[in-house]
């Protein structure tokens, strides 16, 4: 059989293995499959190519352009999953495992594509948080912005998720506007290579946006600077070795690490065997042990259960694990495949033996393992193993050693405080789950165990049907954890994008900040529109265009009419004496919603025109009460424009209402959809 010659993609060229190459074996049969090597790659040229071509091309696009690009790319890959599944079997993955990896990666890209359009502006910089008022008269303000880094993201990925591991980093990186050099773990890099080939063939990404190294990174890390990011997933020892690279330290190169973690799952004291929570716990834990043969950074390693439930849990887990058919992942009926390589098998058996020095093996036997399929003698198969730790307070290996395979340990706790102590003994982890139907326990654990974990996953009878699983990092939620888990953070929606951007504080006048952000900042110069803004199309409207309306007197009849009409007879509007006794009001006052309606009545241009719909209202505040005989007027300013389709876009307006003394009485943001053309 000819070996696959894994190619790197460097400087716009596919380059075959060079120098000292490494052979890669099938996880299932042990036969040689491929070889990889990258000794002859010119890493400086790769960085230059990314910075000269990829970065500028990506940064010329807005967040929305890049989000649309991600959507096209995800759609392209989604239509080509079958050949990826075929290759994925060779990594030891079952079809269900491959779906987590391949579909999960593509799904992550879709989520970033959607979030980029919904939660980021159609612009080149991202405002982070609200405007800060830094002066009494509002002439000097502050705003935080995130701008794309001008360098390259180097992604060093683990062997266990050759596709998801790449795409979960690539999506936020590209959305930020930063090119990437991807270095997959060599043992499963043939699957990553196939996926990168698809992405390059698609022609959707600008040249230089992605490059691939199949092999080692040579002196790449010595060449990075403060505009670059290293995002690493793998073992703690490699993370610590790479992050202490002198160049990385000297230049404060960002280093994001996600590494081994002794994730815990707690069975709540309320979850006795007669409750749905008990079954849920057993189901979640056995799924975590067997999915991807336990090779998940988030897999449950420590099962922390009430002392009284230890034997029940071991018994129920044993029944369930017994039903797991292990073998060739491409053969029907197989529920758990092989580890990714023989090296991993050796490593897992060694680590399990270490755990065995302080815990008793309660389930699993490597010597009697029977396999589903033929020709599997040299495959990297390992029996699921369940240990029981009788003295978790004095044990140390079980809280510090991760066997990166289908291995977990059950340990008992006395009370919730003890369970929290054991959870935190992992020294920092990516995720901990708690199966409980008791919100008070959930609160105590969140406060006391939260600081040790990147994610807490509570599940019970209410959420179990729709919950996403202890071990599934979601693009919406932060993935990473303190201490042993690496101290890094990925994903988490737009947060994950900002890891590839520089957050900076910008200070200046309202006009300067309006110019920088493309969003009207209160206090900036108003622009007189040539006609009422509601008669102007999306493209005609300019940021800062403002209508100042005429005044309108608010009468006692208006207040009474509104009260009777809507049924809102709250005393502050209807009872002079009771209203006057309220510290907020001088006496009866107009309803806030009446003022909003008057505002619309004052600024609306009634005839059909480009304004299609009012889609919402944000940040409404009332600053001063309005009494009968007060007069109100409104200013309506174009604040921000966002293209939504090829026919219309969203226009956000800043609305201010003043009284006859020019005091502001109300303020809000109005959302409308405005057409590109007049009909
Ligand atoms: P490693 O830490 O050895 O490798 C992770 C990545 O780093 C791979 O891409 C690897 O490439 C690369 N790498 C290793 N050495 C260097 C170097 N000197 N310079 C640049 N890149 C380097 O982890 P493994 O993948 O071998 O897994 C080992 C253990 O790590 C597992 O048994 C498990 O305990 C843990 N792990 C944790 C994961 C998590 O998400 N928390 C995920 C996977 C593993 P190459 O393959 O070419 O060596």
């Amino acid at each position: 059989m000819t070996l696959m010659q894994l190619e790197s993609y460097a400087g716009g060229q596919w380059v075959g293995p060079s120098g000292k190459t490494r052979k890669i074996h099938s996880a299932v049969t042990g036969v040689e499959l491929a070889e990889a090597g990258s000794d002859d790659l010119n890493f400086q040229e790769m960085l230059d190519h990314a910075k000269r071509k990829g970065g500028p091309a990506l940064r010329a696009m807005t967040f929305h352009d890049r989000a649309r690009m991600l959507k096209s790319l995800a759609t392209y890959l989604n239509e080509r999953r079958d050949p990826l599944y075929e290759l994925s079997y060779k990594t030891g993955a079952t079809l269900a495992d491959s779906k987590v990896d391949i579909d999960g990666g593509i799904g992550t890209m879709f989520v970033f594509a959607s979030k980029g359009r919904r939660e980021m502006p159609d612009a080149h910089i991202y405002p982070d948080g609200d405007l800060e008022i830094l002066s009494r008269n509002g002439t000097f303000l502050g705003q935080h912005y995130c701008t794309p880094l001008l360098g390259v993201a180097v992604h060093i990925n683990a062997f266990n998720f050759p596709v998801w591991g790449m795409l979960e980093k690539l999506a936020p990186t590209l959305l930020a506007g930063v090119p990437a050099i991807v270095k997959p773990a060599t043992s499963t890099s043939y699957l990553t290579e196939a996926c990168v080939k698809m992405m390059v063939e698609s022609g959707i990404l600008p040249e230089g946006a992605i490059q691939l190294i199949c092999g080692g990174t040579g002196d790449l890390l010595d060449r990075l600077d403060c505009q670059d990011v290293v995002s690493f997933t793998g073992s703690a020892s490699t993370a610590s070795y790479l992050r202490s690279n002198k160049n990385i330290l000297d230049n404060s190169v960002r280093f994001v690490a996600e590494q081994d973690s002794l994730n815990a799952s707690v069975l709540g004291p309320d979850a006795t065997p007669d409750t749905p929570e008990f079954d849920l716990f057993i189901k979640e834990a056995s799924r975590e042990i067997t999915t991807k043969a336990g090779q998940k950074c988030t897999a449950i390693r420590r099962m922390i259960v009430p002392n009284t439930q230890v034997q029940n849990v071991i018994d129920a887990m044993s029944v369930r694990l017994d039903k797991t058919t292990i073998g060739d992942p491409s053969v029907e009926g197989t529920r758990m495949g092989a580890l990714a390589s023989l090296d991993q098998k050796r490593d897992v058996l060694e680590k399990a033996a270490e755990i065995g020095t302080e815990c008793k093996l309660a389930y699993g036997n490597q010597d009697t393992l029977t396999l589903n399929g033929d020709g599997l003698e040299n495959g990297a198969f390992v029996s699921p193993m369940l240990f029981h730790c009788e003295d978790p307070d004095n044990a140390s290996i079980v809280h510090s050693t991760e066997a990166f395979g289908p291995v977990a340990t059950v340990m008992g706790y006395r009370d919730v405080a003890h369970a929290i102590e054991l959870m935190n003994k992992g020294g920092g982890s990516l995720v901990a789950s708690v199966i409980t139907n008791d919100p008070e326990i959930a609160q105590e654990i969140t406060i006391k165990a939260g600081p040790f974990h990147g994610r807490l996953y509570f599940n019970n009878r209410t959420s179990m049907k729709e919950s996403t699983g202890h071990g599934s990092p979601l693009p919406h939620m932060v993935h990473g954890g303190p201490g042993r888990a690496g101290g890094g953070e990925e994903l988490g929606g737009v947060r994950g994008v900002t890891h590839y951007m520089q957050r900076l504080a910008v200070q200046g006048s309202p006009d300067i900040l309006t110019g920088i952000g493309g969003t009207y900042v209160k206090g900036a110069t108003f622009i007189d529109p040539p006609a009422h803004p509601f008669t102007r199309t999306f493209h005609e409207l300019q940021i800062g265009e403002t209508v100042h309306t005429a005044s309108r007197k608010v009468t006692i009849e208006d207040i009474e009419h509104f009260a009777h009409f809507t049924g809102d007879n709250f005393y502050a509007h209807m009872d002079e004496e009771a209203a006057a006794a309220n510290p907020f009001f001088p006496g009866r006052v107009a309803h806030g919603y009446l003022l909003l309606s008057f505002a619309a009545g004052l600024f609306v241009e009634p005839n059909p025109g480009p304004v299609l719909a009012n889609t919402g209202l944000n940040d409404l505040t009332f600053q001063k009460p309005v009494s009968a005989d007060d007069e109100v007027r409104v200013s309506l300013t174009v604040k921000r424009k966002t293209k939504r389709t090829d026919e219309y876009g969203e226009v956000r307006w800043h609305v201010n209402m003043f009284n006859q003394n020019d005091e502001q009485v109300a303020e809000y943001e109005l959302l409308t959809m405005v057409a590109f053309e007049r009909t």
Side-chain angles (χ1 to χ4, degrees):
M1 185 184 159
T2 50
L3 294 187
M4 290 186 264
Q5 300 293 303
L6 300 187
E7 295 182 305
S8 297
Y9 188 60
Q13 305 292 325
W14 286 101
V15 185
S18 57
K20 199 162 163 277
T21 60
R22 199 171 125 190
K23 297 272 183 357
I24 301 168
H25 299 81
S26 160
V28 182
T29 60
V31 299
E32 280 184 358
L33 277 183
E35 71 178 321
S38 58
D39 287 357
D40 289 353
L41 290 185
N42 184 327
F43 295 107
Q44 187 58 51
E45 275 181 13
M46 289 180 80
L47 288 170
D48 292 345
H49 183 65
K51 288 185 194 179
R52 264 199 312 264
K53 292 242 163 133
L58 288 168
R59 290 194 301 275
M61 304 160 92
T62 65
F63 292 110
H64 286 209
D65 294 333
R66 294 194 290 265
R68 279 188 283 273
M69 174 186 80
L70 286 184
K71 188 173 178 193
S72 306
L73 196 58
T75 307
Y76 186 89
L77 293 177
N78 207 35
E79 288 160 359
R80 290 163 180 77
R81 282 170 296 165
D82 286 345
L84 298 179
Y85 293 148
E86 276 311 308
L87 274 180
S88 183
Y89 285 127
K90 300 183 197 307
T91 70
T94 62
L95 184 59
D97 293 338
S98 301
K99 288 191 172 184
V100 175
D101 184 30
I102 296 163
D103 299 34
I106 295 170
T108 298
M109 201 167 246
F110 273 123
V111 170
F112 276 98
S114 156
K115 284 192 167 285
R117 274 171 299 131
R118 278 188 294 112
E119 297 174 23
M120 302 185 88
D122 192 12
H124 298 274
I125 58 173
Y126 173 72
D128 177 63
D130 293 333
L131 202 67
E132 298 289 345
I133 311 296
L134 305 176
S135 57
R136 189 181 292 265
N137 297 319
T139 60
F140 189 68
L141 307 164
Q143 172 72 55
H144 291 95
Y145 289 108
C146 296
T147 61
L149 291 176
L150 302 182
V152 180
V154 176
H155 296 165
I156 301 179
N157 297 333
F159 64 84
N160 53 342
F161 287 108
V163 176
W164 178 85
M166 167 172 62
L167 298 185
E168 63 102 8
K169 290 184 175 134
L170 200 55
T173 302
L174 293 175
L175 186 53
V178 176
I181 297 177
V182 178
K183 185 261 177 283
T186 304
S187 59
T188 54
S189 54
Y190 50 92
L191 180 50
T192 314
E193 186 226 33
C195 187
V196 173
K197 284 203 157 147
M198 286 179 183
M199 291 195 269
V200 172
E201 274 158 19
S202 77
I204 292 167
L205 293 176
E207 183 50 56
I210 184 169
Q211 296 180 83
L212 174 73
I213 299 172
C214 284
T217 52
D219 60 0
L220 177 64
L221 268 50
D222 302 331
R223 298 174 178 278
L224 304 182
D225 64 34
C226 71
Q227 291 302 302
D228 303 315
V229 184
V230 179
S231 184
F232 171 85
T233 304
S235 63
S237 55
T238 308
S240 140
Y241 170 74
L242 296 180
R243 74 174 0 142
S244 53
N245 169 295
K246 184 167 180 340
N247 180 54
I248 300 252
L249 292 176
D250 287 351
N251 289 295
S252 308
V253 177
R254 283 188 207 185
F255 192 95
V256 181
E258 200 252 285
Q259 61 199 40
D260 330 11
S261 154
L262 276 301
N263 309 297
S265 183
V266 177
L267 179 68
D270 54 311
T272 48
D274 53 339
T275 63
E277 280 76 23
F278 187 88
D279 293 340
L280 170 64
F281 179 79
I282 300 298
K283 233 183 254 173
E284 285 255 10
S286 52
R287 192 173 59 211
E288 287 302 317
I289 290 175
T290 54
T291 304
K292 282 294 283 187
Q295 300 170 105
K296 284 199 318 192
C297 50
T298 50
I300 295 170
R301 305 292 176 206
R302 298 176 304 139
M303 299 169 63
I304 302 175
V305 311
N307 278 331
T308 49
Q309 301 301 338
V310 168
Q311 197 53 50
N312 287 334
V313 166
I314 291 174
D315 292 346
M317 286 294 293
S318 304
V319 170
R320 213 165 160 102
L321 291 173
D322 256 346
K323 292 188 188 141
T324 307
T325 309
I326 302 161
D328 184 337
S330 64
V331 170
E332 204 174 317
T334 297
R335 301 286 294 278
M336 185 177 111
L339 298 183
S341 65
L342 288 174
D343 280 349
Q344 276 307 303
K345 176 175 170 181
R346 204 169 17 252
D347 187 62
V348 166
L349 293 178
E350 269 171 30
K351 299 271 172 53
E354 279 178 46
I355 293 170
T357 60
E358 60 181 18
C359 304
K360 270 205 286 218
L361 186 64
Y363 178 88
N365 189 340
Q366 185 66 15
D367 299 332
T368 58
L369 186 62
T370 50
L371 297 174
N372 185 31
D374 300 320
L376 307 179
E377 308 70 39
N378 298 318
F381 296 94
V382 168
S383 161
M385 281 175 248
L386 193 64
F387 287 93
H388 173 210
C389 178
E390 287 180 340
D391 184 7
D393 293 325
N394 292 309
S396 61
I397 297 170
V398 74
H399 301 297
S400 60
T401 299
E402 186 188 32
F404 203 67
V407 183
T409 303
V410 180
M411 58 194 78
Y413 69 81
R414 296 181 294 277
D415 51 24
V416 174
H418 187 212
I420 291 170
E421 207 179 296
L422 295 177
M423 287 171 84
N424 296 351
K425 265 184 162 239
S429 82
L430 297 171
V431 54
S433 54
V434 184
I435 308 300
T436 180
N437 199 23
D438 185 336
E440 277 184 28
I441 291 174
Q443 187 192 44
E444 185 178 352
I445 290 181
T446 303
I447 293 168
K448 295 182 182 159
F452 276 84
H453 300 89
R455 176 163 62 93
L456 285 179
Y457 170 93
F458 293 97
N459 205 358
N460 60 26
R461 64 192 73 181
T462 308
S463 52
M464 63 188 186
K465 282 220 174 74
E466 292 195 305
S467 56
T468 48
H470 161 107
S472 302
L474 299 178
H476 319 70
M477 308 301 289
V478 159
H479 177 53
R484 195 185 303 282
E489 192 183 287
E490 297 182 325
L491 302 177
V494 174
R495 291 176 193 85
V497 183
T498 60
H499 296 149
Y500 298 94
M501 304 177 88
Q502 178 63 40
R503 177 183 295 119
L504 72 157
V506 176
Q507 294 164 277
S509 71
D511 280 334
I512 291 287
L513 294 188
T514 298
I516 291 172
T519 294
Y520 173 80
V521 168
K522 196 174 168 184
T525 312
F526 290 135
I527 298 173
D528 276 339
H532 191 287
F534 277 25
T535 65
R536 288 161 63 68
T537 63
F538 179 85
H539 294 298
E540 287 169 347
L541 287 170
Q542 289 183 66
I543 302 297
E545 272 186 24
T546 302
V547 171
H548 302 280
T549 71
S551 295
R552 158 175 196 141
K553 183 176 269 194
V554 179
T555 65
I556 197 73
E557 290 76 26
D558 290 333
I559 296 173
E560 298 213 332
H561 177 70
F562 190 80
H564 297 315
F565 181 51
T566 60
D568 180 352
N569 291 302
F570 188 61
Y571 72 88
H573 315 302
M574 303 304 283
D575 181 336
E576 182 64 32
E577 202 179 323
N582 179 319
F584 283 91
F585 303 122
R588 288 176 71 181
V589 294
H591 305 68
Y593 304 118
L594 171 61
L595 297 178
L596 282 188
S597 306
F598 280 157
L602 288 166
F603 66 64
V604 152
E605 147 58 49
N607 295 312
V611 176
L612 303 174
N614 171 354
T615 52
L617 186 157
N618 290 331
D619 303 327
L620 168 66
T621 51
F622 297 111
Q623 287 84 27
K624 243 185 155 8
V626 172
S627 308
D629 296 332
D630 281 348
E631 295 202 3
V632 291
R633 64 181 175 81
V634 171
S635 69
L636 175 78
T637 305
V638 178
K639 183 176 175 188
R640 179 169 5 142
K641 301 194 312 177
T642 310
K643 213 176 132 190
R644 288 290 178 214
T645 69
D646 290 337
E647 291 169 357
Y648 60 84
E650 181 190 80
V651 177
R652 292 182 180 225
W653 310 78
H654 183 227
V655 185
N656 261 327
M657 180 175 259
F658 301 95
N659 64 17
Q660 64 279 8
N661 302 320
D662 289 336
E663 293 164 321
Q664 188 176 296
V665 298
E667 182 176 27
Y668 57 97
E669 182 183 73
L670 176 73
L671 280 64
T672 59
M673 289 298 170
V674 177
F676 292 175
E677 307 280 344
R678 277 181 199 79
T679 44

